[in-house]
Amino acid sequence: MKRALVISGGGSKGAFAVGVLKQLFHIFPNLDFDIFVGSSAGSLVVSLAALNQMDTLSEIYSTISNDNLFIEGNIVDKLGDTSLFDVTPAWNLIQNKYPDQAYDQLQASGKKVFLTTVCLQTNELNVFTNDALSIKPGNYKVVQTLDANHYRRALLASCCEPVFMQPIQIARNVAGAAHPEYQYVDGGVLKYVGIEMAIDAGATEIFTILLSPDKSTLVKDQFTNLMSILGETVDILTSSVGKTDVAITDQYAAALKYIDDVKTKMKMAGIDENDIKNYFTLPTANIFQDKEPIKIFKIRPDDYLGGGPGGLTFDPSEMQGMMAKGITAFNQFAANLPSGDVTWV
Amino acid sequence: MQIRINLFKKMIWIFLFCNLTSITHAQTDTEFPKGFIMYGKLHSGLVTNFSSPDLFIGGIQLAPQYTVVPHLLRIGAIAGGFYSSKKIQGEFGPSVSLKLKTFNAKLEGATVGSIANINLLIDHLWGTNKQRQIGAGIILDTGNIITIGITTHRDYNLNTWLFQSEIGIRLTKKHKNPVI
């Protein structure tokens, strides 16, 4: 049985995920993950969580501010440039917090990390991983990271929200990497949360941390001008991308459970196990064949976390509050966890 | 589906650009960044001593400056030529720009950079016809590209006042994001 940790995008709201993980490892010290999937801010969190560097994550998400991540400028001056912000400080931070030894440690651990990005040239979802052989990709491309620098560049690209942060040439100056000219941005553009990658990598128990609430926030004010209506419409469309990601994987997990329940019923009716297997084996490839039932645990905030548009406001005190909310959210999750679901104690 | 995606893209762009141009007061200052900047300026106005008829003045200037206190102070020089009293003359001297106010751009309440600044320009100019002018002006710098302003100078040698307006354009290359 493989267990995965999947974290969505959300910029500064990644602090909530850090709070969840701190409490998760505190309450369940034996809980370990084989697979890590991150989109955007989730990529940074899973990269360090895979190395058990929770102290580093806590430090980052309780002290960092916008100035430590990007250089803002005059936006009129930036028209014609690749982005409104320059992410050089974020690149320096990643190089500092994820040195070559960290990548070596990851490779030695046998853990698999998947970072989602979108290639601007091909418009494809590209998933960079330290172990490309461990996944059977679906509707996306898997790219093997060749060294620590390649991994760090993929990590930075995964965090770079287009328009705000410049696209990253992940293969630039990486020996042996194809298409050094290709530019990559935040995988959250196409994939809010990479549960699909965890399933494709063989995970059957998936812990998913989502950085936005399930319910829509009730807006009591009337929308009386074009901009407020347009802004709300963009919010609705954007959140629907995330809801669709989650809904599709929920349906897939439900379908696998249904198939498993039917198989169990057939077995109880006295049908031979080999015959059952034959009934469910079709000559054409399908996404359910030979798949085990999947358990997906979801942990998410009850309400909007803040952090500004796209989570681009990194305010240490606000992020500390988000971390506290993550701890509370995990406590609630653990309290409501059916004992039969706990396989790791 | 494709129509929906295209509509979505258009809406995002309209939303971003309309919001980015909403001007609000500064929180994080991005104006007067560290480094060198040079404007080319056209100026025109009048020269008066409040008794004899006023004279037209108009000219062109180069105004290089360097930021010595980021987000606050630039020092530099002005060199130019101008037409007045039916003669083409020259002028040069030091200048100081003090940033007074930054106008930030906001998106859904969060600052995403700046859009303009207002600065106080103080200079002293020596002219080729015994002019000795000290003056100041209020300049609006939009996008670190275009400036417009009004200036007043006192010529303490020729006992005249100069009231002018000016428009400038940045001549130095823009700082581009590095390719990573």
Side-chain angles (χ1 to χ4, degrees):
Chain A
M1 194 268 295
K2 287 181 183 172
R3 188 179 296 126
L5 173 65
V6 181
I7 303 180
S8 76
S12 58
K13 288 177 274 196
F16 176 85
V18 175
V20 169
L21 290 180
K22 276 173 74 172
Q23 197 63 0
L24 181 149
F25 291 127
H26 176 68
I27 295 179
F28 301 120
N30 295 328
L31 184 56
D32 202 8
F33 298 100
D34 311 287
I35 296 159
F36 297 79
V37 187
S39 290
S40 196
S43 290
L44 178 65
V45 179
V46 297
S47 290
L48 292 170
L51 303 175
N52 298 316
Q53 291 194 14
M54 291 308 300
D55 290 343
T56 307
L57 276 172
S58 293
E59 181 208 325
I60 290 173
Y61 278 98
S62 57
T63 60
I64 213 158
S65 62
N66 286 33
D67 293 345
N68 305 122
L69 293 174
F70 33 73
I71 303 164
E72 296 175 9
N74 186 297
I75 62 160
V76 181
D77 201 23
K78 289 288 183 184
L79 293 176
D81 209 334
T82 49
S83 62
L84 295 176
F85 307 153
D86 171 9
V87 293
T88 299
W91 176 227
N92 294 337
L93 179 85
I94 287 174
Q95 291 182 97
N96 179 258
K97 300 293 183 190
Y98 205 93
D100 290 2
Q101 297 90 317
Y103 186 74
D104 295 340
Q105 191 188 334
L106 175 67
Q107 293 300 67
S109 71
K111 292 177 179 175
K112 333 287 184 199
V113 180
F114 301 92
L115 312 174
T116 66
T117 68
V118 171
C119 177
L120 292 181
Q121 275 67 35
T122 64
N123 294 344
E124 280 179 333
L125 184 66
N126 281 234
V127 180
F128 285 79
T129 175
N130 64 317
D131 189 353
L133 296 176
S134 65
I135 189 167
K136 290 177 185 168
N139 301 315
Y140 53 90
K141 187 180 169 189
V142 171
V143 184
Q144 171 73 47
T145 53
L146 301 178
D147 56 27
N149 182 42
H150 199 199
Y151 182 93
R152 282 189 294 261
R153 301 181 77 82
L155 172 53
L156 177 65
S158 184
C159 298
C160 281
E161 292 181 38
V163 179
F164 292 100
M165 304 172 195
Q166 66 254 54
I168 304 301
Q169 295 178 354
I170 296 178
R172 183 183 163 88
N173 299 328
V174 177
H179 300 297
E181 74 282 12
Y182 279 10
Q183 299 165 293
Y184 297 83
V185 295
D186 186 350
V189 170
L190 289 176
K191 184 63 70 181
Y192 171 67
V193 59
I195 304 172
E196 181 185 349
M197 287 90 206
I199 294 169
D200 291 343
T204 50
E205 201 166 88
I206 302 170
F207 280 72
T208 306
I209 304 174
L210 300 149
L211 303 179
S212 58
D214 188 24
K215 62 183 181 188
S216 301
T217 309
L218 178 66
V219 182
K220 290 177 181 169
D221 296 333
Q222 289 283 304
F223 294 94
T224 55
N225 62 64
L226 179 70
M227 290 318 299
S228 64
I229 294 170
L230 192 54
E232 189 61 20
T233 308
V234 170
D235 279 348
I236 291 166
L237 291 171
T238 307
S239 62
S240 82
V241 172
K243 283 177 184 170
T244 305
D245 277 353
V246 175
I248 287 172
T249 49
D250 278 348
Q251 284 175 6
Y252 181 73
L256 286 177
K257 186 176 182 314
Y258 170 72
I259 291 167
D260 193 59
D261 288 348
V262 172
K263 283 179 180 174
T264 305
K265 209 172 170 185
M266 290 169 81
K267 201 174 168 183
M268 286 172 70
I271 301 172
D272 183 73
E273 207 159 325
N274 287 329
D275 288 338
I276 296 171
K277 195 175 178 187
N278 282 337
Y279 287 133
F280 282 92
T281 302
L282 299 172
T284 52
N286 73 83
I287 57 174
F288 301 111
Q289 198 151 311
D290 300 327
K291 292 283 185 184
E292 289 178 40
I294 295 166
K295 244 185 269 177
I296 302 177
F297 301 108
K298 286 196 278 281
I299 305 151
R300 66 193 313 171
D302 292 332
D303 294 303
Y304 176 62
L305 287 171
L312 285 169
T313 302
F314 288 78
D315 176 354
S317 61
E318 189 181 23
M319 289 191 295
Q320 285 165 27
M322 293 177 197
M323 223 182 282
K325 285 179 183 173
I327 291 171
T328 306
F330 189 79
N331 284 338
Q332 286 171 357
F333 167 80
N336 296 319
L337 195 60
S339 57
D341 281 351
V342 179
T343 60
W344 51 84
V345 176
Chain B
M1 186 62 184
Q2 188 59 41
I3 292 169
R4 191 181 169 206
I5 291 168
N6 286 338
L7 178 66
F8 179 49
K9 282 180 181 172
K10 280 179 189 169
M11 290 173 91
I12 287 176
W13 280 108
I14 294 167
F15 175 71
L16 275 174
F17 279 95
C18 292
N19 265 278
L20 290 176
T21 51
S22 67
I23 298 171
T24 51
H25 186 262
Q27 286 180 352
T28 307
D29 205 343
T30 55
E31 293 294 304
F32 276 43
K34 197 176 166 184
F36 175 76
I37 194 164
M38 182 162 71
Y39 289 95
K41 294 182 176 181
L42 293 171
H43 61 94
S44 68
L46 59 90
V47 184
T48 181
N49 58 12
F50 300 110
S51 54
S52 53
D54 301 340
L55 295 172
F56 169 79
I57 180 170
I60 188 166
Q61 293 177 335
L62 276 181
Q65 284 190 322
Y66 187 82
T67 305
V68 288
V69 182
H71 317 302
L72 185 67
L73 191 72
R74 293 195 304 236
I75 60 168
I78 294 175
F82 62 95
Y83 176 83
S84 189
S85 306
K86 298 179 181 174
K87 280 187 290 190
I88 293 175
Q89 303 166 67
E91 61 188 350
F92 69 95
S95 73
V96 174
S97 290
L98 177 72
K99 199 213 71 202
L100 301 177
K101 185 176 175 67
T102 293
F103 297 100
N104 273 1
K106 289 210 167 192
L107 178 63
E108 291 183 12
T111 302
V112 290
S114 59
I115 193 162
N117 75 74
I118 288 180
N119 62 75
L120 173 68
L121 170 69
I122 301 169
D123 57 37
H124 186 284
L125 299 171
W126 287 273
T128 52
N129 198 23
K130 296 180 182 174
Q131 293 96 337
R132 304 282 184 271
Q133 300 166 359
I134 185 160
I138 295 293
I139 311 295
L140 171 68
D141 181 342
T142 307
N144 299 157
I145 297 171
I146 301 283
T147 66
I148 53 170
I150 50 170
T151 61
T152 301
H153 286 83
R154 167 67 177 160
D155 192 322
Y156 56 86
N157 193 39
L158 301 180
N159 195 29
T160 57
W161 286 89
L162 296 85
F163 300 101
Q164 299 179 83
S165 59
E166 63 166 57
I167 183 166
I169 187 163
R170 177 169 156 185
L171 300 177
T172 39
K173 204 177 167 184
K174 282 184 179 184
H175 172 75
K176 287 268 221 177
N177 290 332
V179 175
I180 299 175

